Structures are given as structure tokens and as C-alpha cells.
Amino acid sequence: MSAVGHRASRHRTEIMADRHTGYFQHHNALVESPNIGRDTRVWAFAHVLPGAVIGKDCNVCDHVFIENDVVVGDRVTVKCGVQLWDGIRLEDNVFIGPNATFTNDSFPRSKHYPEAFEQTIVRRGASIGANATILGGVTIGEGALVGAGSVVTKDVPAYAVVVGNPARVTKYLSSPEQDGVSRTTSVEDCRIVELPKIPNEKGNLTFVEGGRHIPFDIRRVYYLYDVPGGEMRGGHAHRELEQLLVAMSGSFDVVLDDGREKKTVTLNRSYFGLYVPRMIWRELVNFSSGSVCMVLASEFYDEADYYRDYSEFLSAVETIG
């Protein structure tokens, strides 16, 4: 048989295997797991152990090693030279760049094994750049981006961009579109932002930089104080405006409502902020004595941006949704 004929025959064999299993496996790949989703592609010299679970429409590139206790979601890309060890969980639409390194044991010793390996989770839509190192036990938040070569030593917030060694938040991304369809805003888009805290024996310092620590430029700052016991502030939503709420002193609760579900967040630390995107109804309640709420806003005051009537807000949510 000619070289061309041999290649054509081998190609036909691979296509037949694809029809039989539902996924593509390069003839130089070793796939021992029966749990591989449809339309997934496993390329040359990749090795998948028997216990691994890989979703549909994934791309597992050359020289990837996937251990037993690994779960990979749908539409995940794992570039060349990546090892996924026991305890790794990759949710849907995750991208892992070439030679990114995961760990699962904080104190490794040869021939000594922990009772359980640390679990590392990469949430939906997150991306990890080339040569980044992810320490065991951390969670990379939804839509987050880890810069190339960064060393991640602690959890990464949703939609944060982190770079450096150790990796630090440089900015936040707006919530991305999912699968080409814009998502309606939900209470799940509201999140706690940990602000920088510089300790000093003479007093701590915290600062906020628009576009870096929060996903918008700051146009307006105001604060609420001397709120009588039992009073409620807020009671509105914004068409476009985004906010960060910080308890500068004392504590209070923020009731968040997207028209479908509600959740309550307690703010009681001056270095924690609550990010509230557009189209979220918010109410501030349970103010402690002497509490101060600082609000950083993405726009100047504009009464036309407010929904002050809850039924009108609900009608707008139904129209958008």
C-alpha cells in the first residue's frame, strides 16, 4: 500500500472510531476512560485515566495528562502540556492555556500521600493563561482571567483579572455573554469584592481604584449615615448604573432582588464591598448604631435612571427577560 493509501486508510479507521464512540481519539492518544462526551477531541500523546469524566465538545490537546478523580465540563479547551491531577474540577466553557500547572497537595513528600487530595475548581467561563500555576484548594471564579505566568495562591473572584506572583486582582470584567446570548442580570451577578487592606500599627488603610478593583469608573460618591433604627434606605433599581456599597462603619443588610429571586448580604467590614450591577432592586435594612454606608457609582445622578416603583421594575424585568 502506498503512503497516501496508508494515511487514507488510517483516517478512515479514526472516522469509524468517532462514529462508534461519539468522540475523536487520535491514534497516538491513550484514552482509558469510558466517560468521554460526544464531539470531544483527544489529540496525540494525551493520556486519560479510567476514572476521569470529560464532557461534550471538549478539545484535549497534545501531551495532556488527566488523572482519575478529574471532572471536565462541556466545551472545555485544555491546551498542550497540561496535567490535570486528582481533585481538579473544570466547569463548562473553561480555557486552560499551554503548560498551565495545577497542584493538589500543599505539603508533597515522595511516597507519602494525603488522606484526600485538595480540590481545585475552575468555574464556568474562566480562562487560565499559559504557564500559570494554580495552588491546590483554590477556586477560580466564573468568567475570571488568570494572566500568563501568574501564581494563584488564593481564591479568584468572579470576573476578576489577576496577574503576578502572587496573583493579585488588577481589574474586573463585566459579566460576559454566554453562548452568544446576553444574560439578564440576576442576584448571582452581585458579588463581594475584597478591597486592598494595608495594615499598620497606627491604623489600617483601604483604597478603591475604578476599573481595577471594581468593573467601572467612579463618577459619583455618596454616603448614608445617622440612619434611625428600623429605617430602610434604597428601595429602588437602576436602568444602567452600577454601584459598590461599603460599610465604612458598623453594619447593615442589603436585600437584593432581580425580580425572580432574592438574597440578603450583610456588610460589616470596611474592606469588603458589595458590587450591584444594573437592574437589581436593592433595600438597605438593619442599620447598626453609628453605621456609615459609602456608595461608589458608575454614573452621575440622573432621576431618569431610577425605577422607584417595584411593579414598574418587575414589568421591565419581564420585558428584558
Side-chain angles (χ1 to χ4, degrees):
M1 179 182 294
S2 67
V4 173
H6 178 73
R7 287 195 296 269
S9 175
R10 188 175 67 190
H11 180 69
R12 284 194 298 271
T13 300
E14 290 172 345
I15 294 299
M16 289 176 62
D18 180 59
R19 290 172 179 168
H20 178 70
T21 64
Y23 67 89
F24 168 80
Q25 176 185 341
H26 191 279
H27 68 281
N28 282 329
L30 177 56
V31 178
E32 300 180 82
S33 171
N35 299 309
I36 311 295
R38 293 193 61 84
D39 299 321
T40 284
R41 298 161 298 285
V42 183
W43 294 99
F45 309 110
H47 186 182
V48 182
L49 294 190
V53 177
I54 300 177
K56 63 186 179 183
D57 197 23
C58 294
N59 197 32
V60 179
C61 296
D62 291 16
H63 296 281
V64 169
F65 176 72
I66 301 179
E67 216 166 12
N68 282 295
D69 183 21
V70 175
V71 179
V72 177
D74 298 335
R75 300 173 298 280
V76 172
T77 296
V78 184
K79 300 299 287 185
C80 301
V82 174
Q83 297 86 43
L84 301 179
W85 308 111
D86 286 340
I88 305 298
R89 304 288 186 266
L90 308 181
E91 296 187 351
D92 297 345
N93 302 307
V94 162
F95 174 87
I96 308 297
N99 298 304
T101 299
F102 290 87
T103 65
N104 65 356
D105 187 350
S106 295
F107 197 76
R109 292 290 191 228
S110 179
K111 302 298 182 181
H112 291 266
Y113 306 104
E115 293 184 4
F117 288 105
E118 296 165 327
Q119 186 173 100
T120 299
I121 303 173
V122 183
R123 297 293 187 192
R124 175 184 174 92
S127 294
I128 297 177
N131 294 301
T133 298
I134 314 298
L135 296 192
V138 305
T139 296
I140 310 297
E142 179 178 356
L145 176 63
V146 177
S150 298
V151 179
V152 177
T153 60
K154 62 181 181 179
D155 291 352
V156 176
Y159 306 114
V161 177
V162 298
V163 298
N165 180 8
R168 300 183 184 278
V169 176
T170 61
K171 65 179 181 179
Y172 282 88
L173 304 171
S174 297
S175 302
E177 294 183 347
Q178 302 288 338
D179 303 325
V181 179
S182 296
R183 297 188 305 160
T184 56
T185 307
S186 77
V187 294
E188 297 305 316
D189 294 307
C190 303
R191 60 181 182 271
I192 291 292
V193 176
E194 184 174 358
L195 301 170
K197 179 181 179 182
I198 302 175
N200 188 291
E201 60 184 9
K202 297 180 180 180
N204 300 327
L205 183 148
T206 290
F207 60 95
V208 186
E209 296 180 357
R212 295 190 63 188
H213 304 125
I214 54 178
F216 57 83
D217 292 327
I218 301 169
R219 294 284 186 87
R220 183 168 176 252
V221 179
Y222 63 92
Y223 41 95
L224 307 172
Y225 57 98
D226 292 343
V227 179
E231 288 297 324
M232 182 269 289
R233 296 301 302 257
H236 60 260
H238 289 279
R239 290 172 166 83
E240 299 295 337
L241 182 137
E242 304 168 78
Q243 291 181 331
L244 185 81
L245 282 64
V246 181
M248 302 299 293
S249 178
S251 66
F252 53 87
D253 293 337
V254 184
V255 181
L256 303 164
D257 181 352
D258 60 18
R260 297 170 293 275
E261 60 178 309
K262 296 181 180 182
K263 74 174 182 180
T264 300
V265 177
T266 298
L267 292 178
N268 56 11
R269 295 289 186 274
S270 57
Y271 51 89
F272 284 155
L274 173 63
Y275 169 68
V276 182
R278 58 183 293 274
M279 295 300 294
I280 297 292
W281 188 272
R282 80 290 310 273
E283 297 176 356
L284 281 62
V285 297
N286 298 328
F287 285 86
S288 67
S289 177
S291 59
V292 177
C293 170
M294 181 180 69
V295 182
L296 309 179
S298 64
E299 303 293 340
F300 299 121
Y301 174 81
D302 180 4
E303 182 61 30
D305 189 63
Y306 282 76
Y307 286 105
R308 296 191 183 275
D309 182 87
Y310 186 68
S311 60
E312 182 184 359
F313 167 72
L314 291 179
S315 297
V317 168
E318 185 176 351
T319 300
I320 296 172

